[in-house]
Every structure is written in structure tokens, then in C-alpha cells.
Amino acid sequence: LEFRRVLFRSVSDKMKHAAESNSEQETGFEAHLQSRLGSRVRHLRVLCLINGFHLFGSARTCHAQQLAQHLVMEITELPILANEIEVC
């Protein structure tokens, strides 16, 4: 678990300093999140900005939406600027 935090902390630091998002890093990050969330959140998309994240997708429950949000905050230690995961 500590290795993952160190790995994603370094990715997080790179994302903080990048003015434009790097789609290759985003795709890897989204794939990691999706593997942790399973089918609870569909069509997950994470937009990385300098000061935080915007989340997009769809979930069946508010709980799944919150899981995604807290997972991103746990891994990156950056705030969620907008959680637009639709509960349907």
C-alpha cells in the first residue's frame, strides 16, 4: 500500500505542475481507479487540473459516487473540484 501511495504521489506531483493534462497519465490513473471501483462507476473520466480534479461518469448509487471521490482524494491528496458522476 505504501508503494502505491508513493507511486501515485509522484504522479500527483507531476499533474500539479502541468498546465495541460497529459492524456497518457490520465488514462493510466483512470484505469487504476476503475479497477478499484469495479462496475460501481461506469464511463469514469477524470479531468486533471493544476489545483484538483473533475470527475465524470455514472453510478447506480450515491455511495458508489462517494467511493470514487474518496478514492481519488486518498490516492492524490488533491481536492475534488467537481464531482459530476451522475447517479442514475
Side-chain angles (χ1 to χ4, degrees):
L1 183 63
E2 186 59 32
F3 173 74
R4 284 185 186 161
R5 285 194 176 147
V6 170
L7 172 69
F8 283 102
R9 213 172 274 146
S10 69
V11 170
S12 168
D13 291 342
K14 290 176 188 174
M15 288 178 185
K16 281 187 213 178
H17 298 14
E20 296 177 312
S21 63
N22 182 328
S23 63
E24 192 173 298
Q25 283 182 336
E26 284 181 0
T27 304
F29 184 62
E30 288 169 359
H32 176 75
L33 290 173
Q34 195 68 64
S35 72
R36 297 271 307 265
L37 293 167
S39 62
R40 292 179 278 209
V41 177
R42 297 175 305 282
H43 312 293
L44 179 64
R45 180 81 178 109
V46 179
L47 177 61
C48 305
L49 301 173
I50 294 170
N51 55 347
F53 294 92
H54 284 245
L55 305 179
F56 302 92
S58 59
R60 292 183 188 211
T61 65
C62 290
H63 182 251
Q65 179 193 41
Q66 289 173 335
L67 284 175
Q69 179 173 324
H70 286 277
L71 184 58
V72 171
M73 290 188 304
E74 174 188 321
I75 292 171
T76 65
E77 298 179 0
L78 288 173
I80 303 299
L81 302 174
N83 185 345
E84 297 186 33
I85 296 175
E86 189 177 318
V87 178
C88 49

